[in-house]
Amino acid sequence: DAGVTQSPTHLIKTRGQQVTLRCSPKSGHDTVSWYQQALGQGPQFIFQYYEEEERQRGNFPDRFSGHQFPNYSSELNVNALLLGDSALYLCASSQDFRPYEQYFGPGTRLTVT
Amino acid sequence: GENVEQHPSTLSVQEGDSAVIKCTYSDSASNYFPWYKQELGKRPQLIIDIRSNVGEKKDQRIAVTLNKTAKHFSLHITETQPEDSAVYFCAARTGRRALTFGSGTRLQVQP
């Protein structure tokens, strides 16, 4: 049984560019949450997707958008990249009827130069 | 929204000693409090959690206590080992809302 997977592992982009990160949830999980973890800090919530809709959003600008597909996988898109967007982006999955257990993927390390 | 504060930011102990990490939260409606361990370059791993209807939970060398009145919870690691060295994060959650994380504690266990 595969756990949460993310791609790519690492990514280097230039300021102003756009990036798409991908996440496949743990088998049986239907809810996907995205977090941004800057170096030396705790993860910060970006948004959560359930039933292909954004159910909850953290304090992130509209440059951050997402999508959930019918197979529950999800994408995170960031437009007009800033240097401050450099971070580890973590995807976490859970079951809606059992929200307490949330499992994290390995993350995507994004570097903006 | 929820705010979680975590102390200390760094903690160094001798192998075999105990380690305690403390967190406070602001939202009295929070009802779920997990602890994650994150090793360098790896994903956060859930090590123990507690719900608001329980005051204490133990799993081998790890225990978590919760004081709902004071809105704080703590992680206790006994008989620490070098492999316990990592960054530990507390978090709080209300229902299906997102987790709010603390700022992390870097634990160093000296052999």
Side-chain angles (χ1 to χ4, degrees), chain B residues 36-87:
Chain B
Y36 288 86
K37 175 184 180 182
Q38 188 174 31
E39 298 178 2
L40 191 62
K42 296 189 176 180
R43 75 188 79 188
Q45 298 266 17
L46 178 68
I47 57 171
I48 195 168
D49 57 10
I50 192 168
R51 302 185 192 184
S52 59
N53 59 346
V54 177
E56 184 175 358
K57 183 177 178 180
K58 189 174 182 179
D59 183 4
Q60 299 183 336
R61 297 186 297 110
I62 295 175
V64 57
T65 59
L66 171 65
N67 184 327
K68 287 190 295 181
T69 302
K71 290 191 284 187
H72 67 71
F73 55 113
S74 301
L75 177 70
H76 304 254
I77 305 174
T78 59
E79 301 173 18
T80 54
Q81 302 167 2
E83 51 265 38
D84 293 330
S85 296
V87 179

Side-chain angles (χ1 to χ4, degrees), chain A residues 1-67:
Chain A
D1 176 26
V4 183
T5 61
Q6 291 185 244
S7 63
T9 305
H10 297 89
L11 204 53
I12 299 175
K13 290 287 188 178
T14 304
R15 275 178 299 177
Q17 286 188 316
Q18 179 265 344
V19 68
T20 297
L21 310 181
R22 295 175 177 83
C23 171
S24 291
K26 181 179 170 63
S27 178
H29 285 189
D30 55 10
T31 303
V32 174
S33 301
W34 287 92
Y35 294 82
Q36 179 195 66
Q37 186 176 24
L39 199 60
Q41 297 182 21
Q44 298 291 317
F45 174 69
I46 304 174
F47 43 56
Q48 182 184 84
Y49 276 85
Y50 172 67
E51 291 189 337
E52 302 180 48
E53 291 191 359
E54 183 183 291
R55 178 161 67 178
Q56 186 186 354
R57 188 178 183 93
N59 188 27
F60 278 79
D62 292 344
R63 298 187 298 109
F64 290 76
S65 63
H67 188 77

Side-chain angles (χ1 to χ4, degrees), chain A residues 17-21 63-65 76-82 85 89 110:
Chain A
Q17 286 188 316
Q18 179 265 344
V19 68
T20 297
L21 310 181
R63 298 187 298 109
F64 290 76
S65 63
L76 163 65
N77 301 292
V78 187
N79 294 323
L81 285 167
L82 304 174
D85 295 331
Y89 287 85
L110 172 65

Side-chain angles (χ1 to χ4, degrees), chain B:
Chain B
E2 175 69 277
N3 182 50
V4 177
E5 294 190 357
Q6 182 172 348
H7 300 280
S9 56
T10 59
L11 180 60
S12 182
V13 299
Q14 290 295 125
E15 183 177 358
D17 287 349
S18 295
V20 180
I21 303 171
K22 299 181 179 181
C23 289
T24 60
Y25 61 98
S26 61
D27 187 353
S28 57
S30 289
N31 58 3
Y32 176 64
F33 308 91
W35 286 87
Y36 288 86
K37 175 184 180 182
Q38 188 174 31
E39 298 178 2
L40 191 62
K42 296 189 176 180
R43 75 188 79 188
Q45 298 266 17
L46 178 68
I47 57 171
I48 195 168
D49 57 10
I50 192 168
R51 302 185 192 184
S52 59
N53 59 346
V54 177
E56 184 175 358
K57 183 177 178 180
K58 189 174 182 179
D59 183 4
Q60 299 183 336
R61 297 186 297 110
I62 295 175
V64 57
T65 59
L66 171 65
N67 184 327
K68 287 190 295 181
T69 302
K71 290 191 284 187
H72 67 71
F73 55 113
S74 301
L75 177 70
H76 304 254
I77 305 174
T78 59
E79 301 173 18
T80 54
Q81 302 167 2
E83 51 265 38
D84 293 330
S85 296
V87 179
Y88 290 81
F89 292 98
C90 63
R93 179 178 193 170
T94 306
R96 287 178 170 75
R97 296 186 63 80
L99 288 168
T100 299
F101 284 83
S103 53
T105 296
R106 183 172 299 279
L107 174 64
Q108 183 70 41
V109 180
Q110 306 289 346

